[in-house]
């Protein structure tokens, strides 16, 4: 079921990506806003998280007050591309804070009990965030999600 995933101010939203193969790299992520874009955002950024230890392995700069219109994509380029030495399961994180209106992101309702299968690949993680976290920060365990945002790694 295609739908919208609403971001929560200052909360890191987690969405599944899959297996990043050894020697392959990701330079960033692309998300698609739904019917609501961001109104006067203050902070927003995205990151790549390794599932096995919940460490941030790549992160974008803070896009600050850059516009993000309804129905448009937003590209988050990582400060440094990430290339693992072994195959790794990874998830995407996105965070926005200080906006008069946060965008909804095009996504899907998870099928059946997908949200309850370990390891969890969607939900909410750290709260109270503004600026990007540091590389190798261990984020809090995520969960509680029934929808996940579509995003594309490049």
């Amino acid at each position: 079921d295609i739908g919208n995933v609403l971001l929560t101010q200052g909360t890191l939203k987690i969405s599944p990506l899959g297996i990043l193969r050894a020697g392959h790299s990701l330079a960033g992520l692309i998300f698609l806003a739904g019917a609501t874009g961001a109104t006067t955002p203050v902070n927003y950024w995205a990151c790549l998280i390794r599932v096995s230890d919940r460490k941030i392995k790549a992160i974008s700069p803070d896009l600050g007050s850059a516009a993000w219109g309804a129905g448009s994509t937003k590209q988050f380029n990582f400060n440094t591309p990430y290339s693992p030495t072994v195959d790794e399961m990874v998830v995407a994180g996105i965070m926005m804070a200080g906006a008069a209106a946060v965008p909804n992101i095009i996504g899907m309702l998870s099928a059946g009990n997908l949200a309850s299968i370990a390891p969890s690949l969607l939900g909410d993680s750290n709260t109270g965030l503004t600026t990007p976290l540091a590389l190798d920060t261990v984020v809090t365990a995520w969960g509680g999600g029934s929808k996940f945002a579509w995003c594309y790694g490049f």
Side-chain angles (χ1 to χ4, degrees):
D1 181 26
I2 296 173
N4 292 308
V5 177
L6 183 62
L7 298 180
T8 301
Q9 298 260 10
T11 298
L12 187 60
K13 176 67 75 182
I14 305 298
S15 292
L17 277 177
I19 302 292
L20 181 56
R21 297 288 180 198
H24 293 231
S25 66
L26 277 181
L29 299 168
I30 297 173
F31 290 86
L32 173 62
T36 302
T39 304
T40 61
V42 175
N43 302 99
Y44 68 110
W45 44 271
C47 61
L48 180 72
I49 303 165
R50 183 171 53 204
V51 172
S52 63
D53 57 8
R54 299 190 325 271
K55 283 187 177 181
I56 293 177
K57 300 313 296 178
I59 197 153
S60 76
D62 187 346
L63 298 184
S65 61
W68 189 358
S72 67
T73 59
K74 182 57 69 176
Q75 182 169 315
F76 296 85
N77 297 312
F78 295 145
N79 294 324
T80 303
Y82 180 63
S83 180
T85 57
V86 297
D87 293 355
E88 294 179 353
M89 185 177 291
V90 294
V91 293
I94 184 170
M95 193 292 308
M96 181 172 283
V102 293
N104 52 42
I105 307 296
I106 297 295
M108 285 191 79
L109 180 63
S110 66
N113 293 324
L114 181 62
S116 64
I117 297 172
S120 174
L121 301 177
L122 66 147
D124 292 336
S125 183
N126 296 50
T127 61
L129 299 174
T130 55
T131 57
L133 297 169
L135 282 178
D136 288 324
T137 295
V138 177
V139 301
T140 60
W142 51 79
S146 61
K147 292 183 178 181
F148 59 90
W150 282 344
C151 75
Y152 302 90
F154 62 91

